[in-house]
Amino acid sequence: KEVNENDKILLVINYDSENYIKAKVVSNKTLGNVTNTLINASLTSVRSMIVMEKYDIKQVLELEHIISTDFSQRLSNKEIAARLNISERQLTRIVKLRYTKTLHQILNEKRTDVASKLLLETNMSIEKISANVGFGAYLKTFYKEFQKRYGMTPGDYRAKFK
């Protein structure tokens, strides 16, 4: 089927181990939005290279490891900076340059991405998924963040895609 600019399609951007862009359909977007998303993803790849040139590559890689493995924990910027042996200010600079978002936003995106997979791959309750991905007892925050990321509630997402 030919796709028109206003057709709804689903897309998520991921990066492989060398930061090459890998796109896969998962979020409700128009073709125009997808084009912008791919352009932004390309810019993020370029930003990654700049960050790795400007800062110690070990710190950047360790930060990415923390985000990908410890996202479900309640970690403060202070705790993460201490793990990286850098100041909170330097952590903020690295995150801003690498992601153009705050660490809080990055962690919430990771949490909602993992939640979206759990919604489709398990029969866990939404409350349990929310707790498991790091939102704890803040179910309202989970719903808000999920809605912001995917354009629908977790229940609607499960019903539509499972």
Side-chain angles (χ1 to χ4, degrees):
K1 177 187 172 198
E2 188 173 312
V3 179
N4 296 318
E5 185 169 331
N6 292 325
D7 286 348
K8 296 283 186 178
I9 59 176
L10 302 170
L11 175 79
V12 71
I13 301 297
N14 289 317
Y15 300 91
D16 66 13
S17 59
E18 284 100 33
N19 274 332
Y20 291 108
I21 298 168
K22 295 197 172 208
K24 139 177 135 171
V25 178
V26 290
S27 178
N28 207 1
K29 303 280 184 189
T30 65
L31 183 58
N33 290 343
V34 168
T35 303
N36 288 337
T37 303
L38 288 171
I39 289 168
N40 288 335
S42 297
L43 291 173
T44 300
S45 289
V46 170
R47 278 189 215 102
S48 295
M49 289 182 258
I50 293 168
V51 169
M52 291 195 181
E53 284 179 18
K54 187 170 181 175
Y55 294 101
D56 182 357
I57 193 166
K58 290 178 189 173
Q59 291 169 328
V60 175
L61 293 174
E62 179 62 20
L63 172 61
E64 296 203 351
H65 177 74
I66 290 168
I67 291 169
S68 66
T69 59
D70 297 341
F71 64 89
S72 63
Q73 298 177 26
R74 282 285 177 217
L75 296 172
S76 68
N77 284 11
K78 184 177 183 175
E79 291 168 318
I80 293 172
R83 284 175 62 177
L84 297 173
N85 295 316
I86 60 176
S87 69
E88 287 182 67
R89 178 76 180 122
Q90 191 172 6
L91 173 63
T92 301
R93 283 189 205 121
I94 292 171
V95 170
K96 187 175 182 181
L97 188 57
R98 168 67 175 93
Y99 299 102
T100 67
K101 298 176 185 177
T102 66
L103 189 55
H104 181 75
Q105 290 170 318
I106 298 302
L107 289 169
N108 280 343
E109 286 178 3
K110 178 68 176 173
R111 290 171 179 142
T112 54
D113 287 349
V114 171
S116 71
K117 290 177 186 169
L118 291 173
L119 286 165
L120 301 181
E121 296 171 1
T122 72
N123 290 322
M124 289 169 60
S125 70
I126 292 171
E127 292 80 9
K128 184 142 178 105
I129 290 172
S130 172
N132 284 354
V133 299
F135 286 100
Y138 301 101
L139 190 59
K140 190 174 181 178
T141 302
F142 171 63
Y143 271 84
K144 183 183 90 174
E145 291 296 327
F146 196 93
Q147 176 88 34
K148 184 173 26 171
R149 184 114 169 115
Y150 292 98
M152 62 186 83
T153 66
D156 290 344
Y157 183 89
R158 177 179 264 169
K160 185 171 184 174
F161 297 112
K162 188 163 185 177

